[in-house]
């Protein structure tokens, strides 16, 4: 199976106050997306945007994945119900008790330290509107993740900025490690460490 990251998935975070809630020790539910809300990326998810994708998944006998922090290598449970209503995309599912990250997620959810839901999707159909916003009328839904930081209205824009900031920090850290390694080995580090690091 190909890594969904290879398909350039976008992420959109559900905004508060609605959020993931623990129903019992393993059951969780909440809204992963809201309709008719203009985020600061000027995107609006329209009612029915997920219908075709959910129908395709059902026909193929597949399901929307439940991931930890959008990491395709860390499924932590199963979404038993994924449906659209007048508010948005409602999800209900259960964590898998034997998976370490699931136990961590359950404890964080119960303590209120984790309450975010975020979708991973590809845009199939979108239209520019008169006000300059973009109406997302069909989305190919891949996964719904439990996330630490549910974003406010800046949703996708903030998610991209955060990812770029994290990537920069990782590169700087990797560069510092390479410099230290070179100095310990008695070698002079290259000036192009950032270009050579395969991150």
């Amino acid at each position: 199976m190909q890594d969904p990251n290879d398909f350039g998935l976008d992420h959109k975070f559900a905004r508060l106050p609605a959020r993931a809630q623990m129903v019992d020790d393993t059951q969780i539910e909440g809204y992963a997306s809201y309709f008719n809300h203009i985020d600061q990326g000027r995107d609006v998810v329209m009612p029915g945007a997920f219908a075709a994708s959910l129908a395709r998944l059902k026909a193929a006998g597949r399901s929307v994945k439940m991931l930890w922090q959008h990491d395709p290598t860390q499924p932590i449970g199963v979404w038993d119900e994924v449906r659209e209503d007048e508010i948005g995309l409602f999800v209900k599912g259960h964590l898998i008790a034997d998976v370490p990250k699931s136990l961590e997620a359950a404890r964080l959810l119960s303590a209120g330290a984790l309450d975010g839901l975020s979708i991973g999707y590809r845009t199939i159909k979108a239209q520019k509107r008169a006000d300059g916003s973009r109406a997302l009328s069909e989305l190919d839904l891949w996964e719904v993740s439990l996330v630490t930081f549910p974003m406010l209205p800046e949703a996708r824009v903030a998610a991209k900025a955060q990812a770029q900031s994290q990537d920069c920090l990782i590169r700087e850290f990797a560069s510092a490690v390479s410099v230290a390694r070179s100095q310990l080995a008695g070698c002079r580090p290259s000036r192009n460490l950032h270009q050579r690091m395969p991150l």
Side-chain angles (χ1 to χ4, degrees):
M1 180 177 177
Q2 284 184 290
D3 182 339
N5 288 338
D6 293 341
F7 292 86
L9 295 188
D10 287 320
H11 299 145
K12 192 172 291 293
F13 294 82
R15 60 176 299 196
L16 298 176
R19 56 192 178 220
Q21 298 179 0
M22 292 294 291
V23 179
D24 56 34
D25 289 342
T26 61
Q27 300 291 317
I28 56 176
E29 63 181 36
Y31 281 91
S33 180
Y34 294 89
F35 295 143
N36 298 312
H37 169 73
I38 301 179
D39 62 34
Q40 288 193 2
R42 305 295 291 165
D43 283 343
V44 184
V45 178
M46 305 303 294
F50 302 100
S53 180
L54 294 178
R56 284 193 298 270
L57 287 169
K58 183 176 181 180
R62 295 186 293 119
S63 62
V64 176
K65 304 304 180 187
M66 182 193 296
L67 302 181
W68 173 256
Q69 309 283 2
H70 293 299
D71 186 344
T73 68
Q74 295 198 62
I76 57 172
V78 175
W79 292 118
D80 301 306
E81 182 180 357
V82 180
R83 61 175 170 80
E84 291 185 327
D85 61 19
E86 66 281 0
I87 297 172
L89 184 72
F90 177 81
V91 295
K92 183 176 182 179
H94 64 277
L95 299 167
I96 300 173
D98 294 337
V99 176
K101 278 293 180 186
S102 294
L103 178 60
E104 181 180 342
R107 288 177 175 172
L108 290 170
L109 280 162
S110 295
L114 179 82
D115 60 8
L117 290 172
S118 177
I119 60 173
Y121 67 94
R122 287 192 307 122
T123 301
I124 303 299
K125 293 180 182 178
Q127 301 83 32
K128 278 288 187 182
R129 306 200 307 180
D131 63 0
S133 64
R134 188 174 67 141
L136 306 181
S137 57
E138 184 178 347
L139 301 177
D140 186 15
L141 182 65
W142 284 66
E143 51 94 2
V144 176
S145 285
L146 290 175
V147 295
T148 308
F149 298 107
M151 299 299 177
L152 291 173
E154 51 264 46
R156 204 176 72 187
V157 172
K160 287 182 178 177
Q162 180 183 0
Q164 289 169 354
S165 175
Q166 289 175 342
D167 183 61
C168 182
L169 288 173
I170 290 170
R171 288 180 184 276
E172 288 180 6
F173 176 74
S175 177
V177 169
S178 294
V179 170
R181 184 182 295 131
S182 297
Q183 289 175 343
L184 288 173
C187 300
R188 183 170 181 167
S190 168
R191 294 180 181 177
N192 298 317
L193 285 171
H194 287 286
Q195 296 176 3
R196 297 194 303 125
M197 291 304 297
L199 295 179

